[in-house]
Amino acid sequence: MSLIKLILDGVEAAHLCNVWHRDLKPENALHDSENKTLVIADFGIAHFEEEMLATEVKTKPTSRMANIRYSAPEQRKKSVKVDHRADIYALGLILNEMFTRDVPQGTGYKTIKSVSAAFAYLDEIVNWMIQQEPDERPSSIDEIKKILIARKNQFVALQELDKTRNEVVPMYEPGQVAPIELISADYQNGKLLLNLSRNPDTGIIQWFNNPEGGFSYSTNCCPSDFSFSGNRALISIHNENFVQNFINYFKQYLKIARDYYQAFLHEQARKKEQEMRKQLEHEIAEKERRERILKNIKI
């Protein structure tokens, strides 16, 4: 299942960037066993026209395209639109093959249940993915992932496109708190002015002002003695002999506040994902209950 998760992630990443692979097959899933990672490769055919694809299949039966075994029905027809759902079809074939060693062809194919009862629920997903009509397949890999998550598959995570960074990231990935450092100091009118590399996040300031452990307090300097204005922190100075101590403590407080804020964001993301998983589990349980009830009703 961990490999299936990586395959889904790789293809979904392309789809989120509006790229359809259209030549998915096991040979294009490259596995690094040492680092336990997997990538989707060979996107060359993604730029072919449908007309070229259909012509190749139709006019050269003795020299078929390498992906004919995994191509969706619409890829074998002329003048038919081929989109990301062709990839979903191929993924359904590959998913079944990973368990059974057989590629489904027509009806009566070898099912996952027949070789691994614990994963029998995947048969329903495979059947959905390899429907002849594109409109009858899942509309996105996200839909497939949600079903897997509802089945308490801990490997699977939802993804989205972060348009600000133009990167595909986990949907509930906590925002990374950018580094913040003290870059210079000044003294004016009884106040020590500490200039920072950027404006502190609101969360950092909140943790700074309301620390929850981890701070080594000084009798002459505590977090509440500092105030923030833009990218500057200020503290009143009554004894110039303590200036360096104030700077040292401020740097310590600032680092710990940033670390606590980052940990808080991680925890919030974790809770949000847990809530999503519970909701999906509830939805799938209700759906299955409804199907069981309707199946046993006699009119």
Side-chain angles (χ1 to χ4, degrees), residues 22-28 45 53 56-57 61 63-76 86-98 100-106 109-110 129-130 132 137:
R22 301 196 299 181
D23 189 26
L24 288 174
K25 53 191 175 184
E27 292 87 342
N28 286 339
I45 204 173
L53 192 64
E56 185 79 14
V57 173
S63 180
R64 297 183 303 177
M65 292 186 64
N67 80 327
I68 189 70
R69 193 179 185 194
Y70 299 91
S71 62
E74 63 269 23
Q75 288 181 281
R76 311 179 196 191
D87 288 347
I88 289 175
Y89 182 93
L91 285 173
L93 299 180
I94 293 170
L95 174 56
N96 192 83
E97 184 181 13
M98 289 176 74
T100 67
R101 307 300 183 193
D102 287 346
V103 179
Q105 298 292 336
Y109 56 84
K110 192 173 183 180
M129 295 171 72
I130 64 174
Q132 294 294 296
R137 299 173 203 151

Side-chain angles (χ1 to χ4, degrees), residues 18-210:
N18 294 316
V19 175
W20 326 136
H21 192 290
R22 301 196 299 181
D23 189 26
L24 288 174
K25 53 191 175 184
E27 292 87 342
N28 286 339
L30 307 183
H31 183 233
D32 182 347
S33 57
E34 182 176 347
N35 296 310
K36 295 182 179 180
T37 189
L38 183 149
V39 298
I40 304 301
D42 193 1
F43 280 80
I45 204 173
H47 302 287
F48 283 11
E49 296 291 335
E50 285 82 354
E51 293 287 343
M52 295 172 63
L53 192 64
T55 300
E56 185 79 14
V57 173
K58 181 178 179 181
T59 62
K60 297 183 179 181
T62 60
S63 180
R64 297 183 303 177
M65 292 186 64
N67 80 327
I68 189 70
R69 193 179 185 194
Y70 299 91
S71 62
E74 63 269 23
Q75 288 181 281
R76 311 179 196 191
K77 300 176 182 178
K78 193 173 181 179
S79 301
V80 175
K81 180 181 178 181
V82 176
D83 59 21
H84 65 287
R85 292 170 297 183
D87 288 347
I88 289 175
Y89 182 93
L91 285 173
L93 299 180
I94 293 170
L95 174 56
N96 192 83
E97 184 181 13
M98 289 176 74
F99 282 87
T100 67
R101 307 300 183 193
D102 287 346
V103 179
Q105 298 292 336
T107 60
Y109 56 84
K110 192 173 183 180
T111 64
I112 294 173
K113 180 181 179 180
S114 68
V115 297
S116 182
F119 294 95
Y121 66 87
L122 291 175
D123 285 324
E124 180 182 349
I125 298 175
V126 168
N127 183 61
W128 187 22
M129 295 171 72
I130 64 174
Q131 290 295 305
Q132 294 294 296
E133 294 298 325
D135 289 344
E136 295 178 1
R137 299 173 203 151
S139 62
S140 68
I141 291 177
D142 181 73
E143 283 193 64
I144 300 167
K145 284 186 170 185
K146 285 179 177 177
I147 296 297
L148 292 174
I149 289 171
R151 293 291 186 172
K152 300 185 179 181
N153 190 305
Q154 298 302 316
F155 289 108
V156 181
L158 300 180
Q159 297 184 128
E160 63 182 348
L161 182 66
D162 183 343
K163 294 183 179 179
T164 60
R165 292 184 290 172
N166 197 33
E167 295 177 1
V168 176
V169 298
M171 185 172 292
Y172 298 108
E173 179 187 49
Q176 295 301 308
V177 182
I180 179 170
E181 300 175 352
L182 176 64
I183 57 176
S184 64
D186 194 5
Y187 175 81
Q188 294 179 17
N189 303 320
K191 292 186 180 296
L192 179 64
L193 311 178
L194 303 173
N195 298 311
L196 307 175
S197 57
R198 66 177 182 85
N199 290 1
D201 307 78
T202 301
I204 290 180
I205 296 175
Q206 290 174 344
W207 283 102
F208 190 101
N209 292 330
N210 301 281

